[in-house]
Each structure stands twice: as structure tokens, then as C-alpha cells.
Amino acid sequence: MSFLSANGAGGPELFSSQVGSRMSFLSMKGKGGQILSSVLVAACVACSLVAVLDIEDQRALGICIAVIAGVAFALSKLGIVQAAEQAGVHHPWAVRCIIVAAFAGVLLVLRENNFALLMSATILIYATVCLGLTIQTGFTGLFNFAGAAFLGTGGYTAAMLANVTWLPDIIVILSGGLIAAALGTILILPVLRTRGHYAALATLAFGILFYGFLEANELLGGPQGLKVPGITILGWDFANEPTLGGISFSFYANYVVLIGAIFAVFMIFTRFVERSWIGIWLDAVRLDETAASVFGLRVSLWKSFAFTTGNFLAGVMGAVYAKMTAFIAPANFTFGDSLTLVSIVLLGGIGNRWGVLIATMIVVLLPEKLQFIQEYRLLLFSCVIIGLLFVRPGGLLARRVRVFGGQ
Amino acid sequence: MSGHAAPPAKDTSLLMASGLSVKFGGLLALNALDIEVKRGEILGLIGPNGSGKTTFFNVISGIYSASSGNVVLDGQDTTTLRPQQIAAHGLARTFQRSRLCLSLSVFDNLMLGAVRRLNSGLWYNLVRRGQLAADIGSAAKEARELLAIFNPQLADKLWQPAISLGMIDRRRLEICRALIGRPKLVLLDEPSAGMTHDETNQLMSEILEVRRGLGGLTIVMVEHEMGLIERATDRCVVLNYGKKICEGKYSQVAADPQVREAYLGKS
């Protein structure tokens, strides 16, 4: 019952202005429902993740995925997903605690499973890059078809810095982000003088050229790539296997925790950007550049801000990725990977941060786990996206109208 | 409101366009136009379709650039400035065809009009969240008050997407968006477009009421509805083929043979 009442107050308009005593009573009653819904959703996502990562048998896996899809559909139909989303708006810290708990739970269950932890880290890395794309494409309307290239820029920056200098790893990781951001700025500057989708064109070219450049460049290792040493932060070598209360974890757990923390920071950052005056400005640039400029908005400034910020996120994760996999090659950062990143954003729901996370899980895990579809993976993948966009044109979790402060 | 401290003399000009021409290829959309807008007046800009009224607005607000001539807004030469710089000099406008961001809330749309007054700093927006929330709260209060002058029900729809509004409420929202930045000069491009006679009259009354509240805002209005022009404007300028053919009070202008010819053709 409490779920239903939480759902009943799900439309944004009901949370808005008329905060009479009746409304505040309703939202008090709704609070428990919302929190419970978010616990349920977080638990379901965590269990699905663990199940998909852990199950090896293809038939069992198929059944498992079908069950997950069914549960997800039911949760959405019952309004529990929506209630959980509302919980995120009204009780952000409670929801953040729930998510951290779910994350810890997944980590604990998968503690010694190298492959599963590597996959989890990969999901979080892709999801972070897609957060960057969300700021660029979802908010500001700049299409970026070079996500993988900016990821690679961060990766190669980290590789070169780590191999040539003795800079501390935190600086190396930040430099990855900064170099990617700087490269992006050079790319966006000529685009600022144009209107329309020229950013798509420029990034498309960059995404394709980047691969060719790496392949031909001897200094950067050519097609063979580069070795990269692992991370050491504050004296803790990430190659060590951590133990906590007698339970030992794979060394990948170090990376999952670090990447999870970076992801969390960027998630909050993206939310803060969206729910601020800046969020309105970015949306206005996307929706009507002319009107925005007539009212005094500096369109080029906000386009550069969005583009630079998004590429910074990609670059930071690229550096961590390079250090985690200990080896990078041009083949990790192809144009195809950039397209995958864009499709994650479309699938998740343009401009919705949580949609990005869910979509990344699907896009990264499905082809990896369902080995028998490997060869047909692009085919299946495009079918899934087209099918989903037919059913849900706004993506898995469509973006909501911004309502400030949950007033 | 803000901007000018002492109430300025009524006769000084707020906007002065001299010898303004705009060429689109071989077409001379504005032909050596001289238009003066005095402080505190409502100027009607009329003329047949294609006579250059909207082009004039687009040049003044910086969307098009003038081929020759110049524009002085409140003592500043704004001829070569970009739209965002001209907005900073206190100009706001509406558009002939609605240009709301339909998927954003009413509040978001309104705040776009207040860009100049709001803090866009990164530190403020991303770190000083408490201050930001307080400012958003007071902005929402102000937005509600402004909307309520036009339509009390509109004020309750502050957090609904603009797409959920009806035609007349959208037009009201556009006008509020132009007013909330406390501009010195507002350009209204066909406020009556797409509305019935009664709706138009009602909207005009609302605009005039808000204007009184703001202490005599200067308005330039493009309009085809002559009743509205007669009722609301202090003075009219008539354009035809990008040229000024007549200027004066509505009654004078309406009696002018050249104007009758432009609208009705030669008899």
C-alpha cells in the first residue's frame, strides 16, 4: 500500500507548489514508501548484477536475464522505480547510503572473482564516460562521437606519464582528464562558430583519426600499445590483495572501490550541474540557441564548459582504465567503442544519470556474458536498441522535468 | 526598477536607429531606416507583410547584422554587438513564433529571461548549494508573483513543462520571460498572433497593468491587430518595403493616404 501511495504522488507537478498541510502529510506518508522502493530497486539491481556476473551456464544465464527483465518490467509498472526516483529527489542522502550499501554488498559477494570485478570496474568506467556524454549531449545537445578517443587520450597520457616520469598517481590520473579536456577544447573551438550538428562531425573525424594516429605513432607504441604500471595511492599498492575482517578480496577490488568512488563523485557533480542555474542554461542552449543568446546567455561559453567537462570525465577514467588493465593499445579505443558509448546514452534515456548506469550494465555485460551471441552481438545489440526505443522513445529511464528543491 | 536611477525626461531617446539597412542577397529588407524610440513610450510598428518589421527587431536584438547604418541603445552603440551583449544593455523581446523551451518547466523558461541577474559562477552553482537553493526559492516566489499578474492559475503551474500550457498561457509566459529581466526596452513581436480578439484584448490589458507596475517600461510592438495599436500605442511607425512611410499618432497614421495605399493598394 505504501508503494502505491508513493507512486500516486509520482508526477512532478504534485510535488511542486501547493504545499498545503494535506500535501506535506502525503509526502510524510510517502517518505517510507519512497525509501523502501529505493531499497528494493537497489537490491534488485545488485542481485541482477551479481547473478549475471556469477552464472556461467548459458541456459541458466538466459533464464536469469529473462527473469531480470520481467522483474524490471514489473517494478516499473508498479511505480516502484518512479517512487525510487522520487526518493532520490527528496531524500538524496538516504538514497546515497542505500546505493553505497548495495555496492558494498556486490563487492563482498564477488570478492575473489577476478573476472566479475573487472567487469564491474569496466561498467563503472563506461558509465562515467557516459555521464560526460550526458552533460554534452543530454544537457547541451553537443553530439560527441569520440568518447572512446577521449578515454584513450586519458589512457595514453597516464601511460606516458607513468613510464617517463615519477609523478604521483593522483596527479597522473588528473592529468589524463586535463589533457583530454584540453584536446577537446581545441576541437570545439572552431565548432563554436557554427550552428547545428557540426560538433558531431568534428568529433566523428577525431574519433576515427585518433585510432589511425595511435597505430602509426612509434612513440606511443604503435599497434602493439604500451605497458602501464598499476596504481599506488598513499603508499597502498593496488596490486596487493586487501583483506577486511579476515575476508580477502581480489586486487581488482582496489580498482572497483577507487572507480566507484570517482563515479560517485561525478554522479553527484552531474546532478549538481543539472540542478543549478547552469543546468537551465545548458538545456536552453540545446533547445533554442537563438532565444538563449537573445536573453544574454553566452552560448559558446556554455558549450565549451559542457564539452570540456564531459571530456575531463572521460580522460580521468581513461587514465584509471589504463592503469587497471596494465596495458593499452589502439584497439581499445576504436570508433566502434565511441558509437557504443553514444548508444548507451540513447538507451539509458538522454539526460538521465541513472538510466546511463543501467544501460551500461546491459551494453557491457550482455555481449560479454552471452558468448554464443558473440558473432551476432552487434546485430542483437542494434535490435535491442531499436526495439527499446520503439517501446520507450525516451530511453529506459526518461529524463524528468526539473523541479527545484522538491518544493 | 533597476538600471536608471532618476526618472529620465520623457523626450530623450532610448533607442535610435539611423540609416539602418539590411540586405539579404539582392533584397533590401530594411532601406535606410530612421526610427527613434523615446523613453517610456509604447511605439507601434506596423506595415504590410514583408515590410521589414521583424527584420528590424532582429537587427536591433543582434540576430541579424546591419549592412549599414547604426543603432544606439541607451547611449551605447550596439550596431555590431552580439545578441548576448545587447541583452546586457537592457533589451528583451518576444518572438513572432513561440520560442519557449517546451520540455522545460515554466520556471526554467522564465529564468532564461533573468540570465543577466542570476549568478552563473561555477563555485556558486556547484559548491554553495545552500545559497543557491535559497536564491532559487526567492526567484520562484518572484516568478509566481509576476505570473499571477497575468493569470493566477499560471502561477500554480510553475513546475509544469511549458508544453502543457495552452496557447494564451504560452504567450503570457513569453512576455513574462521578457519582463522578468527588468529590461529597459521590450520588443513585442505580434503579441496577438494566433489568438482570438478577446484573448488579445485581455492580454494587452495585462501587459499594460504590468507596465504600470514597472513604472512606464518602454515597448516597441509589432502588431497587425489595429484595434490593439489604436488602444495601446502612443505613436506609430509605418513601414513598407523596408522604408518608413509614415509616423505619428494612430489617428494621423490611419488617415494617411500613403498608408492606405500600402495596405489596400491603389484605388
Side-chain angles (χ1 to χ4, degrees):
Chain A
M1 191 54 215
S2 58
F3 288 152
L4 292 175
S5 74
N7 175 40
E13 63 275 11
L14 288 169
F15 284 97
S16 59
S17 42
Q18 53 294 68
V19 192
S21 55
R22 201 174 60 85
M23 277 305 293
S24 58
F25 171 69
L26 254 181
S27 67
M28 276 304 287
K29 196 179 162 193
K31 180 178 177 179
Q34 287 177 4
I35 300 284
L36 212 59
S37 305
S38 44
V39 170
L40 201 62
V41 170
C44 285
V45 171
C47 291
S48 316
L49 188 63
V50 169
V52 171
L53 281 169
D54 236 11
I55 296 174
E56 291 294 336
D57 179 59
Q58 291 285 307
R59 183 170 297 166
L61 197 62
I63 295 168
C64 174
I65 289 171
V67 170
I68 292 169
V71 170
F73 184 73
L75 286 181
S76 139
K77 275 284 164 231
L78 289 172
I80 293 172
V81 175
Q82 290 84 336
E85 268 189 278
Q86 287 303 324
V89 172
H90 297 281
H91 317 287
W93 284 107
V95 172
R96 279 167 207 159
C97 292
I98 293 166
I99 292 163
V100 169
F103 179 77
V106 171
L107 202 60
L108 196 66
V109 175
L110 298 175
R111 57 187 175 271
E112 292 199 306
N113 186 339
N114 276 340
F115 172 76
L117 287 176
L118 181 62
M119 290 313 294
S120 311
T122 310
I123 289 171
L124 289 170
I125 287 170
Y126 268 56
T128 310
V129 180
C130 290
L131 276 184
L133 292 185
T134 297
I135 296 174
Q136 296 169 340
T137 312
F139 298 170
T140 320
L142 290 166
F143 272 90
N144 181 354
F145 287 104
F150 289 113
L151 190 72
T153 307
Y156 272 89
T157 305
M160 291 308 283
L161 284 180
N163 288 335
V164 179
T165 67
W166 290 268
L167 288 171
D169 278 334
I170 292 181
I171 307 272
V172 168
I173 291 168
L174 280 178
S175 312
L178 290 175
I179 299 283
L183 207 59
T185 309
I186 296 171
L187 203 62
I188 194 77
L189 281 179
V191 174
L192 291 178
R193 303 183 59 84
T194 66
R195 270 171 198 240
H197 291 305
Y198 284 94
L201 216 61
T203 52
L204 201 112
F206 177 65
I208 293 170
L209 288 174
F210 183 77
Y211 177 76
F213 171 76
L214 290 181
E215 282 239 301
N217 195 311
E218 284 302 318
L219 186 69
L220 296 175
Q224 275 78 44
L226 287 173
K227 271 191 191 163
V228 194
I231 294 181
T232 307
I233 286 179
L234 302 174
W236 174 257
D237 188 342
F238 275 38
N240 289 335
E241 303 200 331
T243 51
L244 201 69
I247 308 165
S248 69
F249 291 84
S250 148
F251 77 95
Y252 275 120
N254 294 317
Y255 286 98
V256 173
V257 170
L258 175 72
I259 292 166
I262 297 175
F263 175 70
V265 168
F266 287 154
M267 269 306 251
I268 293 174
F269 171 80
T270 310
R271 181 189 152 83
F272 279 10
V273 167
E274 197 206 351
R275 302 192 149 262
S276 69
W277 298 130
I278 295 176
I280 303 182
W281 307 159
L282 299 183
D283 281 329
V285 168
R286 179 183 84 248
L287 292 164
D288 193 339
E289 222 174 278
T290 305
S293 69
V294 163
F295 286 104
L297 206 62
R298 296 169 67 190
V299 172
S300 329
L301 175 80
W302 295 114
K303 278 187 178 174
S304 331
F305 165 78
F307 200 67
T308 307
T309 313
N311 293 332
F312 177 77
L313 304 199
V316 165
M317 274 310 185
V320 179
Y321 173 77
K323 289 194 149 278
M324 179 179 74
T325 52
F327 175 78
I328 48 169
N332 300 119
F333 312 110
T334 61
F335 180 60
D337 295 318
S338 296
L339 287 185
T340 307
L341 291 165
V342 173
S343 62
I344 289 174
V345 175
L346 294 179
L347 183 64
I350 297 178
N352 187 313
R353 301 170 303 142
W354 293 107
V356 158
L357 183 61
I358 304 289
T360 316
M361 288 182 189
I362 296 174
V363 170
V364 172
L365 285 183
L366 271 193
E368 201 64 49
K369 285 299 289 193
L370 294 176
Q371 291 298 331
F372 70 96
I373 62 159
Q374 240 348 337
E375 286 163 31
Y376 301 99
R377 119 184 199 191
L378 279 178
L379 184 69
L380 179 96
F381 184 53
S382 31
C383 288
V384 167
I385 291 209
I386 291 169
L388 261 166
L389 293 182
F390 257 118
V391 185
R392 300 189 74 119
L396 285 173
L397 291 175
R399 189 176 171 197
R400 303 226 158 197
V401 175
R402 173 180 22 237
V403 178
F404 277 109
Q407 293 155 8
Chain B
M1 305 287 303
S2 69
H4 30 97
K10 185 117 183 162
D11 277 351
T12 56
S13 75
L14 177 61
L15 181 86
M16 179 75 103
S18 341
L20 200 61
S21 296
V22 174
K23 269 187 201 152
F24 295 126
L27 178 79
L28 206 54
L30 292 185
N31 188 353
L33 198 59
D34 297 310
I35 289 185
E36 185 191 10
V37 183
K38 299 197 174 74
R39 280 181 206 279
E41 76 171 343
I42 301 185
L43 179 74
L45 196 58
I46 55 179
N49 284 328
S51 59
K53 305 178 298 286
T54 298
T55 306
F56 177 69
F57 274 12
N58 284 342
V59 178
I60 301 295
S61 54
I63 297 177
Y64 297 157
S65 52
S67 313
S68 64
N70 69 327
V71 181
V72 176
L73 173 62
D74 199 23
Q76 292 269 341
D77 190 326
T78 58
T79 319
T80 54
L81 297 187
R82 284 179 297 181
Q84 57 263 41
Q85 295 165 314
I86 295 173
H89 283 107
L91 183 124
R93 67 171 291 183
T94 66
F95 298 88
Q96 194 172 356
R97 286 175 58 196
S98 172
R99 292 198 89 128
L100 293 172
C101 301
L102 291 178
S103 57
L104 301 185
S105 70
V106 169
F107 177 75
D108 289 4
N109 272 290
L110 264 181
M111 287 304 113
L112 184 57
V115 167
R116 284 202 298 138
R117 291 197 282 132
L118 301 174
N119 188 342
S120 299
L122 285 185
W123 181 258
Y124 166 82
N125 274 278
L126 300 178
V127 184
R128 298 187 59 203
R129 301 290 291 178
Q131 183 63 44
L132 175 71
D135 291 349
I136 287 171
S138 56
K141 188 165 163 279
E142 190 191 334
R144 247 189 222 124
E145 283 166 7
L146 181 62
L147 290 171
I149 298 176
F150 282 81
N151 178 2
Q153 275 130 45
L154 191 54
D156 291 334
K157 295 179 182 166
L158 199 61
W159 303 111
Q160 290 187 19
I163 199 166
S164 69
L165 302 181
M167 188 64 201
I168 181 166
D169 274 348
R170 286 188 196 183
R171 191 54 55 79
R172 285 174 174 136
L173 175 55
E174 281 206 284
I175 292 168
C176 288
R177 180 170 73 171
L179 294 176
I180 202 164
R182 296 173 194 160
K184 295 172 191 154
L185 175 64
V186 175
L187 312 177
L188 299 180
D189 200 345
E190 280 204 51
S192 77
M195 298 201 303
T196 66
H197 191 73
D198 290 344
E199 286 172 339
T200 308
N201 262 326
Q202 193 191 338
L203 186 66
M204 204 59 226
S205 306
E206 291 160 2
I207 293 174
L208 293 176
E209 191 193 327
V210 174
R211 181 169 172 272
R212 266 196 298 280
L214 292 175
L217 178 72
T218 313
I219 296 175
V220 181
M221 186 165 75
V222 163
E223 192 46 76
H224 282 298
E225 172 92 29
M226 288 305 149
L228 210 63
I229 290 283
E230 182 175 15
R231 185 180 144 208
T233 61
D234 300 316
R235 215 156 56 84
C236 291
V237 168
V238 189
L239 299 186
N240 198 17
Y241 296 110
K243 274 185 158 167
K244 183 163 77 179
I245 58 169
C246 188
E247 184 173 2
K249 290 218 178 303
Y250 176 77
S251 50
Q252 299 165 345
V253 165
D256 190 279
Q258 257 189 305
V259 175
R260 290 176 161 268
E261 190 187 311
Y263 269 95
L264 302 169
K266 267 187 186 155
S267 54

